[in-house]
Amino acid sequence: MKGILFAELEVEIPFHDVDSMGITWHGNYLRYFELVRCKLLDKIGYGYRAMQDSGYVWPIVDVQIKYVQSSTFEQRIIIKAALVEWENRLKINYQVVDAQTGKRITKGHTIQAAVDMQTQELCFVTPDVFQQKIAHLLPQSPTAEQSE
C-alpha cells in the first residue's frame, strides 16, 4: 500500500458486527475505516478534538469501498490506512486483510475536506495548522541551497 503516512490496527470481528449467517455486515467496514483513520490522525497529532480546537471540521465528502471477500465472527483482521493526499483534501486509502493469511477482504478510500467552523466555508487548500502538523513527517526534498 502506497502513501505518505501509515497506521494499522488488528481487531477480532465481534458477534454484534455479523448478520444471522455469521458474515460481517457490510456497513461495519466504514466503522473499521474510522478506527484506523483515528489512529492515523493521532499519529499526526491532529485527531478530531485537535481539528475542532483549531477551528476546522473535516467531514467525509466521498467514500468508496470494494468488498473482495467476506469476514466472519471471531476472525482476526488487520485494518490498514495510508494517507495519500493532503495538500487540498485528505485522501486516505484502506485495506482490510485477514490477520493469518494476509488475504485482502476489503479495500477503499475516504476523502475529507476542511470546513472553517466560523464561516462554514469549504477550504480549497489544507489549512496551515494541518500543514504544520504533517511537515515533519514528510520526506524532505533538498532545497536549492542544499543541492548547490
Side-chain angles (χ1 to χ4, degrees):
M1 204 158 105
K2 294 181 182 181
I4 300 163
L5 188 64
F6 305 89
E8 68 177 50
L9 182 64
E10 185 171 333
V11 299
E12 182 177 293
I13 304 290
F15 180 74
H16 61 80
D17 281 3
V18 300
D19 60 22
S20 61
M21 297 175 287
I23 304 295
T24 305
W25 180 65
H26 68 279
N28 284 316
Y29 290 98
L30 287 173
R31 197 164 39 83
Y32 301 155
F33 288 4
E34 178 72 25
L35 290 171
V36 75
R37 180 172 54 249
C38 286
K39 188 171 182 176
L40 181 71
L41 293 171
D42 287 346
K43 215 173 182 180
I44 296 167
Y46 198 61
Y48 288 116
R49 295 265 186 234
M51 287 176 180
Q52 282 187 308
D53 291 346
S54 72
Y56 297 94
V57 290
W58 293 75
I60 302 259
V61 296
D62 188 29
V63 65
Q64 186 273 326
I65 299 178
K66 179 166 175 106
Y67 303 99
V68 180
Q69 183 177 327
S70 298
S71 60
T72 58
F73 173 53
E74 293 184 327
Q75 182 177 2
R76 295 207 64 79
I77 59 172
I78 298 173
I79 312 153
K80 301 177 182 186
L83 179 65
V84 293
E85 292 179 28
W86 62 271
E87 294 91 348
N88 301 311
R89 61 189 188 168
L90 298 184
K91 181 176 182 187
I92 301 173
N93 287 345
Y94 305 90
Q95 281 189 19
V96 178
V97 300
D98 180 89
Q100 276 190 321
T101 66
K103 251 183 142 174
R104 185 183 302 158
I105 296 169
T106 304
K107 65 180 183 175
H109 72 258
T110 57
I111 295 175
Q112 292 172 261
V115 174
D116 185 303
M117 289 172 64
Q118 281 191 331
T119 64
Q120 294 296 300
E121 290 183 11
L122 177 68
C123 302
F124 293 105
V125 176
T126 298
D128 288 340
V129 64
F130 184 85
Q131 292 189 38
Q132 292 166 2
K133 294 276 186 186
I134 197 168
H136 73 281
L137 300 170
L138 299 174
Q140 300 299 316
S141 58
T143 63
E145 291 174 6
Q146 291 172 328
S147 59
E148 291 178 10

